[in-house]
Amino acid sequence: MQRALRRLTAMVETAAATTAAMALGVAVLAGAGAALLRYIAGIAVPDGFDIVRLTGGIAACWGIAAAIAADDLIRIDLAAGLGRRAARLTAFTGAIGLAAGGLLLARSGVLGAMLLTYSGETTADLQMPLWPAHLVMAAGLVVAALAGLCRMLMAVLPPEPADGGAP
């Protein structure tokens, strides 16, 4: 079970990191392009700011999912000097906090996307609806919550033998 969870979180990490990187790339290119056009050619890009902020939000939400899946968060290793049992308890307690935080973020992201869906709010210039971008952000936060739950399970389950349990 540990091995399957490790494989799943590795796949989630790759997918989330790729999504975050692509969204960040779009945000940077759109922001640079809009700034260059505005200040060099005097051309205003319609909804340029909204495109940058929405794709930046997508990058942030999926980046959170990638960091949780990779277990690549800033931390102090309290368990290093503890016994095996206390170290596992410490890891589990930290994983509970991670999963709870992920669930709260996912809840707020989903509720925000639902609110925008019902309100019909759009961008100023092109009247593009905001809910699709917020839905993609919420999906990233849901993936982050699920990755946090997987990390919590991995902290509870006993480690598998190095040889895979073969006789």
Side-chain angles (χ1 to χ4, degrees), residues 12-120:
V12 167
E13 175 195 353
T14 302
T18 301
T19 303
M22 289 180 358
L24 186 59
V26 169
V28 168
L29 291 175
L36 288 174
L37 284 173
R38 175 176 292 267
Y39 295 113
I40 292 176
I43 300 169
V45 175
D47 287 333
F49 174 74
D50 286 326
I51 292 168
V52 170
R53 79 179 171 91
L54 291 171
T55 53
I58 291 169
C61 292
W62 282 91
I64 290 169
I68 289 175
D71 200 23
D72 198 17
L73 303 167
I74 297 171
R75 72 173 118 219
I76 299 170
D77 194 3
L78 298 173
L82 302 175
R84 187 150 134 212
R85 211 176 191 136
R88 286 190 58 177
L89 180 62
T90 303
F92 179 64
T93 305
I96 287 174
L98 182 65
L103 288 170
L104 289 173
L105 278 174
R107 179 186 174 273
S108 66
V110 169
L111 290 176
M114 287 173 52
L115 180 66
L116 282 173
T117 302
Y118 295 132
S119 73

Side-chain angles (χ1 to χ4, degrees), residues 1 94 131:
M1 184 72 166
W131 68 265

